[in-house]
Amino acid sequence: MSIYSKGHKGGKGKQDFHHKKSLGQNFLTDDYLIESLVDLSGVGENDCVLEIGPGMGIMTKALCRRCKKVVSVEIDDALIPILKVSMGKFSNFTLVHGDVMKLNLPEVTKDLGAFHVVANIPYYLTADLMNMLMASDMPILSINVMVQKEAAERLTARPGGKEYSVLSLKSQYYGQPQIVLDVPRVLFTPPPQVDSAFVTMPLRAKDERAFAGDREELFLKVVTAGFAMRRKTLLNNLMNTFHMERTAVEGWMTKSGIEANRRGETLTLKEYITLTQNFPA
């Protein structure tokens, strides 16, 4: 990990940069769109932000003009000198060079206090990054992320649809995800193969969640079991995951008000919470 504070200057220019497919680099360049995304994030002058994937710093500048502090994490060696130049005038900016999935993020963000996450991330990283941030003990107030349209639909999906998944339930347990803007592929440089969407997700404080500690781990295990084999009933998936007899699982489901022939993909978040609450001791 390398950290560059308060815009140290470097020598490489934007004209020397080449987008890397391996890093999923697709940048937004429209100033009006950037300002709209910052507006939708809801961040203001008293807020601190962790930005993931600043690119060449266009959104980073908008965040720095708007917010109290901005820490940006960038993995690409070639973008570091560009960002050091473009962000040179902002005293409220810190650049961290490293892989967000490998960094010690609590250490990186320790001076921010409670903070918001704003990210334009490679699409292949969406699920891993969202899972990491949601389960983190860091004081994250909200996650605001540009993702592939299909991923946005998974985050916000409701029971019964093909996009409804473990990620859907996790995101709706930890926060309140909402697609606030569809972003067509033509607005990116270079254009990706798919359209995108901007998702805002205020996170629930720990004391606002249904469970804590071991009970929360149990809830996540129950949810994961529900989707273990989508073609099987929830009853069979729970039997296999928890190594329980059929009659025991039937009794558990009956106590929770859930019919034995239901599939996991049809249960609401509230029903998964009830199922966890009634787990046989």
Side-chain angles (χ1 to χ4, degrees):
M1 178 182 78
S2 303
I3 297 183
Y4 305 85
S5 298
K6 299 183 181 178
H8 289 236
K9 297 187 183 260
K12 180 172 278 194
K14 296 180 183 180
Q15 67 274 14
D16 300 318
F17 179 75
H18 298 283
H19 298 83
K20 297 181 178 66
K21 285 186 178 181
S22 63
L23 295 179
Q25 290 177 334
N26 305 98
F27 299 154
L28 293 168
T29 57
D30 183 272
D31 289 336
Y32 179 79
L33 175 59
I34 293 294
E35 292 294 338
S36 297
L37 294 176
V38 175
D39 286 341
L40 291 167
S41 300
V43 295
E45 61 182 354
N46 295 317
D47 292 316
C48 295
V49 171
L50 169 65
E51 184 193 25
I52 301 168
M56 292 186 180
I58 296 177
M59 182 176 285
T60 317
K61 291 178 183 177
L63 289 169
C64 284
R65 288 192 292 265
R66 191 85 59 99
C67 301
K68 184 178 178 181
K69 290 182 182 179
V70 177
V71 173
S72 296
V73 175
E74 177 54 57
I75 190 174
D76 190 354
D77 298 352
L79 283 170
I80 298 304
I82 295 173
L83 286 164
K84 285 159 49 175
V85 171
S86 65
M87 299 303 299
K89 68 178 182 179
F90 293 99
S91 61
N92 60 341
F93 170 71
T94 298
L95 175 61
V96 178
H97 182 195
D99 184 341
V100 70
M101 299 303 298
K102 297 177 181 178
L103 289 172
N104 182 349
L105 281 184
E107 177 67 20
V108 168
T109 60
K110 66 181 181 180
D111 295 329
L112 295 181
F115 63 93
H116 301 266
V117 174
V118 178
N120 179 20
I121 57 175
Y123 294 149
Y124 67 82
L125 197 59
T126 300
D128 289 342
L129 180 63
M130 293 298 293
N131 280 320
M132 180 188 72
L133 293 174
M134 289 188 293
S136 168
D137 287 330
M138 294 182 292
I140 302 174
L141 299 172
S142 72
I143 301 172
N144 308 275
V145 60
M146 182 72 72
V147 295
Q148 183 177 337
K149 182 69 181 295
E150 183 179 318
E153 291 170 349
R154 283 200 299 273
L155 290 169
T156 58
R158 299 303 177 192
K162 67 176 182 178
E163 300 297 343
Y164 195 55
S165 64
V166 173
L167 184 60
S168 310
L169 280 155
K170 282 185 178 181
S171 64
Q172 293 162 39
Y173 170 79
Y174 286 109
Q176 298 170 289
Q178 181 181 3
I179 298 174
V180 294
L181 188 66
D182 292 328
V183 184
R185 66 195 77 182
V186 296
L187 295 180
F188 291 85
T189 302
Q193 298 298 311
V194 295
D195 293 325
S196 301
F198 193 63
V199 175
T200 62
M201 191 168 98
L203 294 187
R204 294 185 175 90
K206 281 191 174 183
D207 59 4
E208 295 176 341
R209 299 176 193 166
F211 304 109
D214 292 344
R215 210 64 180 173
E216 187 167 273
E217 290 182 15
L218 174 62
F219 165 76
L220 295 173
K221 187 175 181 179
V222 170
V223 168
T224 303
F227 290 84
M229 289 177 280
R230 292 184 77 111
R231 293 185 179 182
K232 289 187 175 291
T233 63
L234 177 63
L235 172 65
N236 284 319
N237 281 336
L238 291 174
M239 287 172 55
N240 291 333
T241 298
F242 291 96
H243 308 291
M244 295 170 63
E245 296 293 331
R246 174 176 290 271
T247 54
V249 176
E250 287 175 338
W252 175 18
M253 293 180 68
T254 298
K255 184 178 180 181
S256 303
I258 299 169
E259 297 88 349
N261 63 350
R262 294 277 297 278
R263 295 184 187 276
E265 65 201 56
T266 70
L267 269 67
T268 64
L269 173 61
K270 185 176 180 180
E271 287 177 312
Y272 271 109
I273 289 172
T274 300
L275 198 61
T276 304
Q277 291 169 335
N278 290 321
F279 182 75

